[in-house]
Amino acid sequence: VDVSKSKIKRAKREALDAIRGVDAVQYTCYGIIVKLSESTIQGFVECRPIIGLDGCFLKTVFGGQMLVAVGRDANDMWPIALAIVQVENRENWCWFIREMLDDIGGLASTANKQEFHSYMKRIAEIDPKIASDVETANEWLSKIPPQHWCRAFFSVTSKCDIFVNNLCESFNNYILEARDKPIISMLEWIRTRLMTRLQTKKKGMEKFSGDVCPNVMKKINKQGKLARHCYSRWCGANEFEVDHFLDKYVVDLDKKTCTCGMFQLNAYPCCHAYAAIADRRDPVEVYIADCYKKDMYLKCYSHMIHAVPGKKEWVQTGCDPLMAPKIKKKRGRPKARRKGPMSFKDPSQQEKDSHVDAKIVWSLVTTKEHALNLHIPI
Protein backbone atom coordinates (compact mmCIF):
# COMPACT_ATOMS: atom_id res chain seq x y z
CA VAL A 1 0.00 0.00 0.00
CA ASP A 2 1.38 3.37 -0.98
CA VAL A 3 1.02 5.54 2.14
CA SER A 4 2.97 8.75 2.71
CA LYS A 5 5.10 9.26 5.82
CA SER A 6 3.02 12.27 6.87
CA LYS A 7 -0.17 10.19 6.78
CA ILE A 8 1.46 7.49 8.91
CA LYS A 9 2.55 10.14 11.41
CA ARG A 10 -0.98 11.59 11.60
CA ALA A 11 -2.47 8.14 12.12
CA LYS A 12 0.02 7.36 14.86
CA ARG A 13 -0.71 10.71 16.53
CA GLU A 14 -4.47 10.06 16.50
CA ALA A 15 -3.95 6.59 17.96
CA LEU A 16 -1.71 7.94 20.73
CA ASP A 17 -4.17 10.75 21.47
CA ALA A 18 -6.95 8.19 21.82
CA ILE A 19 -4.87 6.08 24.20
CA ARG A 20 -3.06 8.69 26.26
CA GLY A 21 -5.10 11.86 25.78
CA VAL A 22 -4.43 15.16 24.04
CA ASP A 23 -1.74 17.41 25.49
CA ALA A 24 -3.59 20.72 25.19
CA VAL A 25 -6.90 19.29 26.47
CA GLN A 26 -5.29 17.74 29.54
CA TYR A 27 -4.00 21.12 30.68
CA THR A 28 -7.60 22.27 31.09
CA CYS A 29 -8.16 19.33 33.48
CA TYR A 30 -5.10 20.16 35.56
CA GLY A 31 -5.62 21.82 38.92
CA ILE A 32 -3.69 24.89 40.03
CA ILE A 33 -1.78 22.88 42.64
CA VAL A 34 -1.77 19.27 43.73
CA LYS A 35 -0.79 18.74 47.37
CA LEU A 36 1.50 15.94 48.38
CA SER A 37 0.02 12.55 49.11
CA GLU A 38 -0.37 12.04 52.85
CA SER A 39 1.35 8.67 52.59
CA THR A 40 4.55 10.20 51.13
CA ILE A 41 4.61 12.77 53.93
CA GLN A 42 4.03 10.19 56.68
CA GLY A 43 6.61 7.89 55.10
CA PHE A 44 9.23 10.64 54.87
CA VAL A 45 8.90 11.33 58.60
CA GLU A 46 10.34 7.86 59.16
CA CYS A 47 13.22 8.44 56.69
CA ARG A 48 16.60 10.01 57.34
CA PRO A 49 16.32 13.82 57.35
CA ILE A 50 18.02 14.51 54.01
CA ILE A 51 16.42 15.61 50.74
CA GLY A 52 17.82 15.54 47.21
CA LEU A 53 16.50 18.02 44.64
CA ASP A 54 16.77 17.81 40.86
CA GLY A 55 14.95 18.73 37.66
CA CYS A 56 14.51 16.88 34.38
CA PHE A 57 13.20 17.90 30.96
CA LEU A 58 9.81 16.71 29.73
CA LYS A 59 9.58 15.39 26.18
CA THR A 60 6.14 16.67 25.23
CA VAL A 61 5.39 19.19 22.50
CA PHE A 62 4.89 21.87 25.19
CA GLY A 63 8.20 21.14 26.89
CA GLY A 64 8.54 22.14 30.53
CA GLN A 65 10.44 20.54 33.38
CA MET A 66 9.68 18.30 36.32
CA LEU A 67 11.11 19.22 39.71
CA VAL A 68 11.55 16.30 42.10
CA ALA A 69 12.43 15.87 45.76
CA VAL A 70 13.75 12.50 46.91
CA GLY A 71 14.62 11.26 50.40
CA ARG A 72 16.42 8.20 51.74
CA ASP A 73 14.54 5.41 53.46
CA ALA A 74 16.27 2.74 55.53
CA ASN A 75 17.49 0.94 52.40
CA ASP A 76 17.29 3.15 49.32
CA MET A 77 15.18 5.90 47.71
CA TRP A 78 11.92 7.50 48.92
CA PRO A 79 10.11 9.83 46.44
CA ILE A 80 8.70 12.82 48.35
CA ALA A 81 7.25 15.31 45.88
CA LEU A 82 7.24 16.41 42.26
CA ALA A 83 5.98 19.42 40.30
CA ILE A 84 5.63 20.43 36.65
CA VAL A 85 6.95 23.89 35.73
CA GLN A 86 7.61 25.69 32.47
CA VAL A 87 11.23 26.53 33.28
CA GLU A 88 13.71 25.56 35.99
CA ASN A 89 14.58 28.81 37.71
CA ARG A 90 14.97 30.26 41.20
CA GLU A 91 11.35 31.40 41.43
CA ASN A 92 9.91 27.97 40.61
CA TRP A 93 12.36 26.17 42.89
CA CYS A 94 11.52 28.50 45.78
CA TRP A 95 7.81 27.87 45.22
CA PHE A 96 8.34 24.11 45.06
CA ILE A 97 10.45 24.00 48.22
CA ARG A 98 8.03 26.24 50.14
CA GLU A 99 5.07 24.01 49.26
CA MET A 100 7.02 20.89 50.17
CA LEU A 101 8.21 22.28 53.51
CA ASP A 102 4.69 23.40 54.38
CA ASP A 103 3.56 19.80 54.03
CA ILE A 104 6.44 17.96 55.68
CA GLY A 105 6.75 20.42 58.55
CA GLY A 106 9.80 22.60 58.00
CA LEU A 107 13.48 22.04 57.20
CA ALA A 108 15.15 18.68 57.85
CA SER A 109 17.81 19.29 60.39
CA THR A 110 32.45 14.97 60.08
CA ALA A 111 34.76 13.23 58.62
CA ASN A 112 37.97 14.75 60.06
CA LYS A 113 38.32 18.55 60.10
CA GLN A 114 42.02 18.46 61.01
CA GLU A 115 42.79 16.38 57.93
CA PHE A 116 40.73 18.79 55.84
CA HIS A 117 42.85 21.78 56.89
CA SER A 118 46.02 19.73 56.38
CA TYR A 119 45.09 18.88 52.81
CA MET A 120 44.05 22.45 52.07
CA LYS A 121 47.59 23.52 53.09
CA ARG A 122 48.99 20.81 50.82
CA ILE A 123 46.91 22.11 47.91
CA ALA A 124 48.29 25.60 48.56
CA GLU A 125 51.84 24.21 48.44
CA ILE A 126 51.25 22.34 45.18
CA ASP A 127 49.54 25.31 43.51
CA PRO A 128 51.35 28.41 44.86
CA LYS A 129 50.42 31.99 44.08
CA ILE A 130 52.26 33.03 40.91
CA ALA A 131 50.49 36.30 40.10
CA SER A 132 48.03 38.62 41.80
CA ASP A 133 45.46 38.19 39.03
CA VAL A 134 45.68 34.37 38.97
CA GLU A 135 43.44 32.51 41.41
CA THR A 136 44.96 29.44 43.05
CA ALA A 137 43.10 26.20 43.69
CA ASN A 138 43.17 26.89 47.43
CA GLU A 139 41.64 30.35 46.95
CA TRP A 140 38.98 29.00 44.61
CA LEU A 141 37.98 26.24 47.05
CA SER A 142 38.05 28.57 50.05
CA LYS A 143 35.26 30.67 48.53
CA ILE A 144 32.90 27.64 48.58
CA PRO A 145 31.42 26.80 52.01
CA PRO A 146 33.00 23.42 52.92
CA GLN A 147 29.68 21.98 54.11
CA HIS A 148 28.67 21.86 50.43
CA TRP A 149 31.52 19.63 49.25
CA CYS A 150 33.50 18.13 52.15
CA ARG A 151 32.22 15.38 54.44
CA ALA A 152 34.17 16.79 57.36
CA PHE A 153 31.59 19.58 57.64
CA PHE A 154 28.42 17.63 56.85
CA SER A 155 25.67 17.60 59.47
CA VAL A 156 25.52 14.34 61.42
CA THR A 157 21.76 14.75 61.80
CA SER A 158 21.05 13.39 58.32
CA LYS A 159 23.12 10.21 58.92
CA CYS A 160 24.26 10.33 55.32
CA ASP A 161 27.63 11.00 53.68
CA ILE A 162 26.57 11.43 50.05
CA PHE A 163 27.43 14.67 48.24
CA VAL A 164 26.18 13.72 44.78
CA ASN A 165 22.60 13.71 43.55
CA ASN A 166 22.48 10.12 42.32
CA LEU A 167 19.17 9.41 44.08
CA CYS A 168 17.36 12.09 42.09
CA GLU A 169 19.05 10.89 38.91
CA SER A 170 17.78 7.38 39.71
CA PHE A 171 14.24 8.72 40.13
CA ASN A 172 14.48 10.65 36.85
CA ASN A 173 15.51 7.43 35.13
CA TYR A 174 12.69 5.58 36.91
CA ILE A 175 10.08 7.89 35.34
CA LEU A 176 11.81 8.12 31.95
CA GLU A 177 8.98 6.32 30.18
CA ALA A 178 6.44 8.87 31.42
CA ARG A 179 8.26 12.04 30.47
CA ASP A 180 6.91 12.16 26.90
CA LYS A 181 3.26 11.69 27.91
CA PRO A 182 0.62 14.45 28.25
CA ILE A 183 0.62 16.06 31.68
CA ILE A 184 -2.31 14.19 33.30
CA SER A 185 -1.29 10.87 31.76
CA MET A 186 2.26 11.44 32.96
CA LEU A 187 1.22 12.20 36.54
CA GLU A 188 -1.16 9.24 36.57
CA TRP A 189 1.61 6.97 35.28
CA ILE A 190 3.90 8.12 38.08
CA ARG A 191 1.18 7.85 40.74
CA THR A 192 0.25 4.28 39.82
CA ARG A 193 3.87 3.15 39.65
CA LEU A 194 4.64 4.67 43.06
CA MET A 195 1.47 3.13 44.49
CA THR A 196 2.63 -0.31 43.34
CA ARG A 197 6.25 0.35 44.28
CA LEU A 198 5.40 1.02 47.92
CA GLN A 199 3.62 -2.29 48.31
CA THR A 200 6.23 -4.26 46.35
CA LYS A 201 9.04 -2.86 48.51
CA LYS A 202 7.06 -3.55 51.69
CA LYS A 203 6.30 -7.14 50.70
CA GLY A 204 9.92 -7.77 49.73
CA MET A 205 11.28 -6.47 53.04
CA GLU A 206 8.76 -8.53 55.03
CA LYS A 207 10.40 -11.63 53.53
CA PHE A 208 13.89 -10.41 54.47
CA SER A 209 15.23 -12.28 57.48
CA GLY A 210 17.88 -9.83 58.69
CA ASP A 211 17.51 -6.95 61.15
CA VAL A 212 19.50 -4.43 59.08
CA CYS A 213 18.52 -3.51 55.51
CA PRO A 214 20.61 -5.37 52.90
CA ASN A 215 22.15 -2.38 51.09
CA VAL A 216 23.45 -0.95 54.36
CA MET A 217 24.65 -4.35 55.52
CA LYS A 218 26.81 -4.61 52.39
CA LYS A 219 28.50 -1.33 53.32
CA ILE A 220 29.05 -2.51 56.90
CA ASN A 221 30.51 -5.82 55.71
CA LYS A 222 32.91 -3.81 53.56
CA GLN A 223 34.03 -1.95 56.69
CA GLY A 224 34.51 -5.33 58.35
CA LYS A 225 36.97 -6.33 55.62
CA LEU A 226 38.85 -3.05 56.03
CA ALA A 227 38.99 -3.67 59.79
CA ARG A 228 41.46 -6.51 59.14
CA HIS A 229 44.10 -3.79 58.75
CA CYS A 230 43.21 -2.24 62.13
CA TYR A 231 44.59 -3.08 65.59
CA SER A 232 42.59 -1.90 68.60
CA ARG A 233 43.71 -1.29 72.17
CA TRP A 234 41.23 -1.07 75.01
CA CYS A 235 41.75 2.11 77.05
CA GLY A 236 38.99 1.51 79.61
CA ALA A 237 35.20 1.76 79.68
CA ASN A 238 34.21 1.65 75.98
CA GLU A 239 37.11 3.71 74.63
CA PHE A 240 39.65 2.26 72.20
CA GLU A 241 42.79 3.43 70.44
CA VAL A 242 42.92 1.95 66.95
CA ASP A 243 46.02 1.70 64.73
CA HIS A 244 45.26 1.81 61.00
CA PHE A 245 48.50 1.57 59.02
CA LEU A 246 50.47 4.67 60.12
CA ASP A 247 47.51 6.52 61.68
CA LYS A 248 45.77 6.29 65.04
CA TYR A 249 42.09 6.86 65.77
CA VAL A 250 40.08 7.11 68.97
CA VAL A 251 36.80 5.18 69.09
CA ASP A 252 34.16 5.66 71.80
CA LEU A 253 31.52 2.95 71.53
CA ASP A 254 29.28 4.56 74.16
CA LYS A 255 29.09 7.81 72.18
CA LYS A 256 29.32 5.95 68.84
CA THR A 257 32.08 8.23 67.58
CA CYS A 258 35.44 7.89 65.87
CA THR A 259 37.98 10.63 65.23
CA CYS A 260 37.91 9.71 61.52
CA GLY A 261 34.39 11.17 61.57
CA MET A 262 32.62 8.47 59.54
CA PHE A 263 31.09 6.57 62.50
CA GLN A 264 29.00 9.55 63.66
CA LEU A 265 28.37 10.81 60.10
CA ASN A 266 26.92 7.56 58.74
CA ALA A 267 25.58 6.23 62.07
CA TYR A 268 27.02 2.79 61.40
CA PRO A 269 30.54 1.56 62.36
CA CYS A 270 33.57 2.61 60.34
CA CYS A 271 36.44 0.12 60.01
CA HIS A 272 38.08 1.49 63.18
CA ALA A 273 34.90 1.11 65.21
CA TYR A 274 34.34 -2.32 63.66
CA ALA A 275 37.74 -3.42 64.96
CA ALA A 276 36.89 -2.17 68.46
CA ILE A 277 33.49 -3.92 68.36
CA ALA A 278 35.18 -7.16 67.29
CA ASP A 279 37.63 -6.76 70.18
CA ARG A 280 34.68 -6.56 72.59
CA ARG A 281 32.97 -9.46 70.79
CA ASP A 282 29.77 -7.42 70.63
CA PRO A 283 27.21 -7.87 67.82
CA VAL A 284 27.75 -5.09 65.27
CA GLU A 285 23.98 -4.54 64.95
CA VAL A 286 23.95 -2.91 68.41
CA TYR A 287 25.98 0.02 67.04
CA ILE A 288 23.88 0.63 63.91
CA ALA A 289 21.31 3.45 63.99
CA ASP A 290 17.63 2.51 64.00
CA CYS A 291 17.10 4.33 60.68
CA TYR A 292 18.84 1.39 58.93
CA LYS A 293 16.78 -1.33 60.60
CA LYS A 294 14.11 -3.48 59.00
CA ASP A 295 11.51 -2.31 61.53
CA MET A 296 12.04 1.33 60.55
CA TYR A 297 11.84 0.45 56.86
CA LEU A 298 8.50 -1.31 57.35
CA LYS A 299 7.26 1.60 59.46
CA CYS A 300 8.12 3.90 56.57
CA TYR A 301 6.24 1.70 54.09
CA SER A 302 3.26 1.06 56.37
CA HIS A 303 1.38 3.86 54.60
CA MET A 304 -0.21 3.57 51.18
CA ILE A 305 -1.20 5.67 48.20
CA HIS A 306 -4.93 5.11 47.93
CA ALA A 307 -6.70 4.17 44.71
CA VAL A 308 -8.18 6.96 42.57
CA PRO A 309 -11.43 6.52 40.59
CA GLY A 310 -11.78 7.34 36.90
CA LYS A 311 -12.13 10.79 35.40
CA LYS A 312 -15.92 10.75 35.73
CA GLU A 313 -15.55 10.75 39.51
CA TRP A 314 -13.00 13.57 39.72
CA VAL A 315 -13.99 16.49 41.95
CA GLN A 316 -14.35 19.88 40.23
CA THR A 317 -12.09 22.47 41.87
CA GLY A 318 -14.08 25.49 40.71
CA CYS A 319 -10.87 27.15 39.48
CA ASP A 320 -10.49 28.52 35.98
CA PRO A 321 -9.02 25.89 33.64
CA LEU A 322 -5.35 26.25 32.79
CA MET A 323 -4.29 27.05 29.27
CA ALA A 324 -1.58 25.02 27.61
CA PRO A 325 1.74 26.93 27.45
CA LYS A 326 2.80 28.51 24.19
CA ILE A 327 5.12 26.42 22.09
CA LYS A 328 8.44 28.15 21.51
CA LYS A 329 10.50 26.69 18.71
CA LYS A 330 14.18 27.53 18.85
CA ARG A 331 15.99 28.49 15.71
CA GLY A 332 18.59 26.23 14.17
CA ARG A 333 19.47 22.67 14.94
CA PRO A 334 18.94 21.37 18.48
CA LYS A 335 22.08 21.55 20.57
CA ALA A 336 23.58 18.50 22.19
CA ARG A 337 23.54 18.44 25.98
CA ARG A 338 26.64 20.14 27.34
CA LYS A 339 28.32 18.05 30.00
CA GLY A 340 29.35 19.72 33.22
CA PRO A 341 32.94 19.87 34.49
CA MET A 342 32.33 16.90 36.81
CA SER A 343 31.08 14.64 33.97
CA PHE A 344 34.34 12.85 33.26
CA LYS A 345 34.79 10.66 30.20
CA ASP A 346 35.75 7.00 30.32
CA PRO A 347 39.05 6.27 32.17
CA SER A 348 41.06 5.68 28.99
CA GLN A 349 39.96 9.01 27.53
CA GLN A 350 40.38 10.76 30.87
CA GLU A 351 44.05 9.78 30.95
CA LYS A 352 44.53 11.28 27.49
CA ASP A 353 43.19 14.66 28.56
CA SER A 354 46.20 16.68 29.63
CA HIS A 355 44.32 19.87 30.45
CA VAL A 356 42.64 18.87 33.71
CA ASP A 357 41.54 21.78 35.86
CA ALA A 358 43.39 21.45 39.15
CA LYS A 359 40.61 23.33 40.94
CA ILE A 360 37.96 20.81 39.88
CA VAL A 361 40.09 17.77 40.68
CA TRP A 362 41.12 19.08 44.06
CA SER A 363 37.53 19.79 44.98
CA LEU A 364 37.10 16.04 45.12
CA VAL A 365 39.82 15.53 47.72
CA THR A 366 38.23 14.60 51.03
CA THR A 367 40.34 11.65 52.20
CA LYS A 368 44.02 10.84 52.43
CA GLU A 369 43.64 7.99 49.92
CA HIS A 370 42.11 10.43 47.44
CA ALA A 371 44.95 12.89 47.89
CA LEU A 372 47.71 10.32 47.47
CA ASN A 373 46.21 8.82 44.30
CA LEU A 374 45.64 12.06 42.42
CA HIS A 375 48.21 13.34 39.92
CA ILE A 376 47.47 16.97 39.22
CA PRO A 377 48.96 18.62 36.12
CA ILE A 378 49.89 22.18 37.04
Side-chain angles (χ1 to χ4, degrees), residues 3-17:
V3 181
S4 65
K5 291 183 179 179
S6 60
K7 183 175 290 187
I8 293 174
K9 289 181 179 178
R10 289 198 301 272
K12 181 180 178 181
R13 170 53 58 189
E14 290 182 10
L16 289 175
D17 289 346

Side-chain angles (χ1 to χ4, degrees), residues 245-260:
F245 296 113
L246 299 179
D247 289 325
K248 290 182 184 291
Y249 299 91
V250 177
V251 174
D252 190 321
L253 294 181
D254 283 337
K255 298 179 181 178
K256 297 182 180 179
T257 60
C258 176
T259 52
C260 78

Side-chain angles (χ1 to χ4, degrees), residues 209-249:
S209 57
D211 293 328
V212 180
C213 290
N215 286 352
V216 177
M217 205 62 217
K218 289 179 183 177
K219 297 179 181 179
I220 297 171
N221 290 336
K222 184 177 180 180
Q223 295 300 317
K225 292 180 180 178
L226 295 175
R228 298 170 185 171
H229 304 291
C230 299
Y231 176 77
S232 66
R233 299 183 190 87
W234 182 39
C235 306
N238 273 329
E239 186 176 305
F240 291 81
E241 180 183 277
V242 181
D243 292 342
H244 189 196
F245 296 113
L246 299 179
D247 289 325
K248 290 182 184 291
Y249 299 91

Side-chain angles (χ1 to χ4, degrees), residues 292-360:
Y292 298 116
K293 302 293 180 65
K294 174 183 175 180
D295 291 343
M296 187 61 70
Y297 185 95
L298 292 176
K299 190 176 180 181
C300 192
Y301 282 83
S302 63
H303 312 284
M304 59 185 287
I305 297 177
H306 293 280
V308 175
K311 184 178 178 181
K312 293 181 180 179
E313 304 295 329
W314 289 0
V315 177
Q316 298 296 322
T317 63
C319 301
D320 294 333
L322 294 178
M323 301 299 293
K326 294 181 180 179
I327 302 175
K328 295 181 180 179
K329 292 186 177 180
K330 297 182 180 180
R331 295 180 180 179
R333 298 177 62 183
K335 297 180 180 179
R337 179 179 178 181
R338 183 179 299 174
K339 292 187 177 181
M342 307 304 284
S343 302
F344 290 124
K345 304 173 184 177
D346 60 86
S348 59
Q349 182 64 33
Q350 189 176 339
E351 292 177 0
K352 297 177 184 177
D353 291 338
S354 59
H355 302 289
V356 180
D357 190 342
K359 300 173 184 177
I360 295 172

Side-chain angles (χ1 to χ4, degrees), residues 5 39 53 79 81 110 177 195 218 253 259 271-272 345 370 377:
K5 291 183 179 179
S39 60
L53 302 172
T110 68
E177 184 181 336
M195 179 174 64
K218 289 179 183 177
L253 294 181
T259 52
C271 60
H272 316 117
K345 304 173 184 177
H370 234 147

